[in-house]
């Protein structure tokens, strides 16, 4: 089975801190994604990557950056955390092709105080 | 613009009754359609997908979905609901000519009562 792991289930940070969220997948997938999930808004794509060192902006990239130095690892960085970035963050991976399902990690619930 | 709509925030159904969770989409081109489920405090799990061919697709846990091109719908169904089916359900669409991004609906909470 595909396994996608995220470094933390719960995280509490202070406004202005730099925050790193880590995601690792073990199935050699080309694509990796970062979403945030908010009630009533569904999942919104922040960034995705289709290869090592490659990245594309999603729908809400402002305030975030990403890093993919190795194929299995995709990091989301909040350069200066703000309270409006309090949310559930979900990482996903998939093989190439729009017809392939994405596999999700358990999520990180981030609270910014 | 591409979009997915889940018109019901919540669906309530009694255990043993059939359930339907609605999804409509608006895309140009041929869509690939997906359903995911999220149980409490968990990530999303893939349920089923429509790529091409038979309009009725079967997935995990006894769920099925019917693709209707004329109504641009992809409703999720199950003949007999279980209490354990209570969860948050998301419909999603990707395009055959676009990148591998998915567009998600806002989600429908299914509550199955004993």
């Amino acid at each position: 089975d595909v396994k996608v792991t995220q470094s933390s289930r719960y995280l509490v940070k202070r406004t202005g801190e730099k925050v790193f969220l880590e995601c690792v997948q073990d199935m050699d997938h080309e694509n990796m994604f970062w979403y945030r999930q908010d009630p009533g808004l569904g999942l919104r794509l922040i960034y995705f990557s289709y290869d090592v060192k490659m990245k594309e902006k999603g729908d809400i990239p402002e305030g975030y950056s990403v890093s993919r130095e190795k194929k299995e690892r995709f990091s989301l960085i909040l350069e200066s955390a703000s309270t409006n970035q309090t949310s559930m963050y979900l990482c996903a991976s998939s093989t190439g092709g729009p017809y392939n399902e994405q596999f999700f990690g358990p999520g990180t619930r981030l609270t910014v105080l | 613009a591409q979009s997915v709509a889940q018109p019901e925030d919540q669906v309530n159904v009694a255990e043993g009754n059939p359930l339907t969770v609605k999804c409509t989409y608006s895309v140009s081109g041929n869509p690939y359609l997906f359903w995911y489920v999220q149980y409490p405090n968990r990530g999303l799990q893939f349920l089923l997908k429509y790529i091409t061919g038979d309009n009725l697709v079967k997935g995990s846990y006894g769920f099925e979905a019917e693709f209707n091109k004329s109504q641009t719908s992809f409703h999720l169904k199950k003949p007999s609901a279980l209490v354990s089916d209570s969860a948050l359900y998301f419909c999603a669409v990707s395009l055959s000519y676009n990148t591998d991004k998915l567009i998600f609906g806002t989600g429908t909470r299914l509550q199955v009562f004993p």
Side-chain angles (χ1 to χ4, degrees):
Chain A
D1 281 351
V2 175
K3 192 164 185 182
V4 180
T5 57
Q6 295 183 229
S7 50
S8 305
R9 292 300 303 273
Y10 300 94
L11 209 52
V12 180
K13 296 293 182 181
R14 296 217 174 266
T15 300
E17 281 193 77
K18 191 169 186 176
V19 181
F20 292 87
L21 302 182
E22 305 285 337
C23 176
V24 178
Q25 51 95 3
D26 66 357
M27 283 302 291
D28 202 36
H29 283 168
E30 292 84 2
N31 298 330
M32 296 189 75
F33 307 82
W34 275 108
Y35 296 90
R36 63 176 283 175
Q37 180 182 1
D38 300 288
L41 297 177
L43 273 72
R44 293 179 291 168
L45 182 65
I46 305 171
Y47 268 97
F48 74 102
S49 168
Y50 50 89
D51 202 352
V52 175
K53 297 190 186 295
M54 307 300 287
K55 62 184 179 184
E56 281 196 28
K57 293 181 180 179
D59 300 317
I60 51 165
E62 297 77 19
Y64 303 94
S65 63
V66 291
S67 172
R68 193 169 181 197
E69 297 295 320
K70 293 184 177 181
K71 191 174 185 180
E72 68 271 17
R73 188 179 297 270
F74 192 34
S75 302
L76 179 69
I77 303 153
L78 287 66
E79 296 290 343
S80 177
S82 63
T83 55
N84 62 13
Q85 292 178 310
T86 292
S87 185
M88 170 70 88
Y89 290 88
L90 294 171
C91 175
S93 71
S94 71
T95 56
Y99 40 80
N100 289 317
E101 61 269 27
Q102 294 181 13
F103 294 85
F104 284 81
T108 296
R109 186 166 294 281
L110 172 67
T111 301
V112 182
L113 302 176
Chain B
Q2 303 150 193
S3 64
V4 175
Q6 293 182 243
E8 302 154 316
D9 291 335
Q10 180 152 332
V11 169
N12 299 317
V13 64
E15 188 174 32
N17 283 1
L19 69 88
T20 298
V21 182
K22 295 179 180 177
C23 172
T24 59
Y25 64 91
S26 175
V27 300
S28 52
N30 294 320
Y32 298 130
L33 294 154
F34 301 79
W35 275 103
Y36 289 83
V37 60
Q38 186 178 37
Y39 296 103
N41 300 313
R42 304 275 295 276
L44 273 67
Q45 295 178 33
F46 168 75
L47 270 182
L48 50 80
K49 64 182 176 183
Y50 172 81
I51 304 301
T52 187
D54 194 350
N55 289 342
L56 185 66
V57 293
K58 294 187 183 296
S60 306
Y61 312 121
F63 283 93
E64 58 189 26
E66 186 169 11
F67 172 65
N68 188 317
K69 189 172 184 178
S70 62
Q71 297 186 5
T72 62
S73 67
F74 189 56
H75 301 331
L76 181 70
K77 300 181 180 184
K78 188 174 182 181
S80 179
L82 299 173
V83 173
S84 56
D85 293 329
S86 299
L88 189 56
Y89 291 80
F90 290 96
C91 181
V93 65
S94 70
L95 292 183
S96 56
Y97 59 84
N98 206 335
T99 64
D100 300 347
K101 294 188 295 184
L102 286 176
I103 301 167
F104 282 87
T106 52
T108 298
R109 186 164 300 281
L110 174 66
Q111 195 74 38
V112 181
F113 295 95

